[in-house]
Amino acid sequence: MPATARKPRLLFFLTGSISCYKACFAISRLAQAGIEIRTVVTPSALQFIGKSTLEGLTGQPVASDMWELGRAMEHINLARWADLALVAPATANTLNRLSAGMADDLVGSLFLAWEIQRKPWWVAPAMNVAMLNHPITQASLKKLSGLGVRVLPTGEGNLACGEEGPGRLLEPDQLVMHVLAELGPKIA
Ligand SMILES: Cc1cc2nc3c(=O)[nH]c(=O)nc-3n(C[C@H](O)[C@H](O)[C@H](O)COP(=O)(O)O)c2cc1C
């Protein structure tokens, strides 16, 4: 690898959905593929997976609390550091908050600190079909898309709530495929 070459950098956000475990599979495969990954988890996501899991998979510390001692500028530094941001799973709550420009947590602050015209920010929604079809969520997705955010599709099938339909988080191999299509060419 030339002295100046570096690994592509992915900022991976996990928000509070049962499908966080699927994101962990994707993170594992992307790390093995040579992508440097830093993770940001909402407090709700920590109800589904542990920081130790993500630290183990990425070899990097996990960010969650904007006010953590010694990491106060993380909301700017991580936005500067990454080549691509991916929110997967993206909850209805986070999507609606991002579209409103809320910045009272790490996900929202990083979104506003992100130069959206220069670097890609993607969301992979995961939620109950009614939450996905709700006019507020649909309006947020449309707004985010208009701002330059790439909204990845959802899968169809059995949802954790017992219903069927769209709203499933993409499968890990599909998430991996999308990220590698974007960052793969940068792997030296
Ligand atoms: C068991 C369980 C599963 C959930 N799964 C989802 C989900 O898949 N999608 C979603 O939008 N919200 C889901 N929620 C609700 C979110 O966790 C909740 O709205 C939370 O405030 C999201 O916070 P965050 O966006 O900051 O992570 C779930 C809640 C519970 C208790």
Side-chain angles (χ1 to χ4, degrees), residues 19-181:
S19 61
C20 280
Y21 75 93
K22 285 164 74 174
C24 292
F25 282 105
I27 289 168
S28 168
R29 286 184 212 160
L30 289 166
Q32 285 171 36
I35 298 201
E36 205 175 329
I37 306 170
R38 296 287 303 268
T39 51
V40 178
V41 281
T42 62
S44 299
L46 291 176
Q47 297 287 332
F48 297 95
I49 42 148
K51 277 190 178 181
S52 311
T53 308
L54 296 170
E55 188 165 335
L57 291 174
T58 62
Q60 296 291 336
V62 179
S64 183
D65 180 2
M66 195 155 65
W67 304 108
E68 195 178 337
L69 212 57
R71 301 178 65 181
M73 293 314 286
E74 212 72 320
H75 65 292
I76 303 291
N77 294 337
L78 287 173
R80 289 187 185 137
W81 172 85
D83 300 311
L84 167 69
L86 170 61
V87 189
T91 59
N93 176 59
T94 288
L95 291 168
N96 291 326
R97 289 167 50 78
L98 291 183
S99 83
M102 305 288 282
D104 57 355
D105 68 359
L106 211 40
V107 186
S109 303
L110 278 158
F111 182 59
L112 290 191
W114 190 262
E115 292 177 74
I116 191 75
Q117 304 308 332
R118 207 171 61 80
K119 301 196 290 184
W121 181 292
W122 297 355
V123 295
M127 67 199 68
N128 161 277
V129 63
M131 292 172 94
L132 180 64
N133 288 337
H134 194 285
I136 291 180
T137 311
Q138 286 298 314
S140 295
L141 289 171
K142 197 171 167 198
K143 184 171 171 188
L144 288 169
S145 189
L147 293 170
V149 171
R150 179 175 176 198
V151 180
L152 294 177
T154 59
E156 287 213 27
N158 295 329
L159 299 166
C161 56
E163 291 177 29
E164 275 203 33
R168 279 173 66 91
L169 178 66
L170 283 182
E171 296 307 312
D173 54 344
Q174 294 171 305
L175 289 171
V176 169
M177 182 194 74
H178 284 297
V179 172
L180 288 183

